[in-house]
Amino acid sequence: RAFFESFLRELSSNSPGASRRGNMSTMRDIFGKVLEVIEALNAQGVDYVVFGGVAVNLHGLVRATEDLGLFIRPDPENIERLKVALRSVWDDPHIDEISSEDLCGDYPVVRYGPPDGEIYIDMLTRLGEFVTFEKLSWSEIEVEGTRARVATPRTLYELKRNTVRPIDAMDATILEQRFDLDEEE
């Protein structure tokens, strides 16, 4: 409960995303939807790892985000479990358009925009040849009674430190400072 209240307080007070996304109840809805998706993934036995802004938040570093980033094990059966999990959250025929051919193919990234528009879900199985599902380090974090597989601070730092997006550079700096990470390790 303390994490959730801290998250909302920070977003409502000084986050650029908060002013764009609306009031506290909207942020509460988004956070609740993220937890609902994670619970559905767990219930269906999906092999996943949360990364990106949600992972940064789950490690206690509050920042606004409009998407849930998921690394997914690139296995057709796992991708079918992913679709079942998403269908348990949204009654949307477009979920059937998510395919193992896409997620296991040359461009293994799919963005799903649910009909309620509260969040986007970015799903990927690798970033180039260097970051694959199997190479990710993750830990399990419990928030509001929901267990989530989350990329470790070191993994998030490595994913974010050399990108061109300013938000990633900021995340990398904050992760480095908060978790005493050294670029050379």
Side-chain angles (χ1 to χ4, degrees):
R1 196 73 171 139
F3 170 83
F4 183 58
E5 293 307 321
S6 170
F7 175 78
L8 292 175
R9 196 170 31 260
E10 183 70 21
L11 287 175
S12 67
S13 65
N14 62 6
S15 167
S19 62
R20 227 181 33 230
R21 297 295 281 165
N23 61 29
M24 285 261 255
S25 65
T26 302
M27 297 315 298
R28 187 172 281 118
D29 293 344
I30 291 168
F31 187 73
K33 191 59 77 171
V34 165
L35 292 180
E36 185 179 353
V37 170
I38 291 170
E39 288 171 352
L41 296 172
N42 292 340
Q44 293 303 319
V46 177
D47 288 327
Y48 72 93
V49 174
V50 176
F51 74 102
V54 169
V56 170
N57 279 294
L58 292 174
H59 282 295
L61 305 172
V62 178
R63 94 147 162 86
T65 186
E66 296 177 336
D67 62 356
L68 169 60
L70 298 171
F71 263 95
I72 305 295
R73 179 178 300 285
D75 170 89
E77 291 81 21
N78 192 50
I79 293 165
E80 286 305 310
R81 289 190 301 270
L82 166 72
K83 290 164 54 173
V84 171
L86 294 176
R87 278 189 219 105
S88 75
V89 178
W90 294 284
D91 181 20
D92 181 8
H94 295 292
I95 291 170
D96 292 331
E97 296 171 18
I98 299 168
S99 73
S100 59
E101 290 80 18
D102 288 335
L103 284 169
C104 297
D106 291 337
Y107 303 100
V109 177
V110 172
R111 174 171 258 204
Y112 171 63
D116 60 22
E118 289 179 336
I119 61 170
Y120 293 98
I121 302 176
D122 293 328
M123 298 163 279
L124 59 146
T125 58
R126 72 176 193 284
L127 286 172
E129 299 304 317
F130 301 104
V131 181
T132 63
F133 182 86
E134 293 76 18
K135 292 181 182 177
L136 292 174
S137 294
W138 58 273
S139 60
E140 194 169 273
I141 295 175
E142 185 172 323
V143 176
E144 303 272 321
T146 299
R147 294 176 296 101
R149 298 176 194 168
V150 181
T152 64
R154 162 68 58 198
T155 297
L156 290 170
Y157 173 73
E158 294 298 329
L159 289 171
K160 291 175 166 287
R161 72 184 175 115
N162 291 321
T163 69
V164 297
R165 294 183 345 149
I167 191 81
D168 289 335
M170 183 179 73
D171 287 345
T173 298
I174 293 169
L175 285 161
E176 180 180 31
Q177 293 169 355
R178 175 76 179 272
F179 295 99
D180 197 27
L181 304 173
D182 184 357
E183 243 182 77
E184 306 304 317
E185 288 180 23

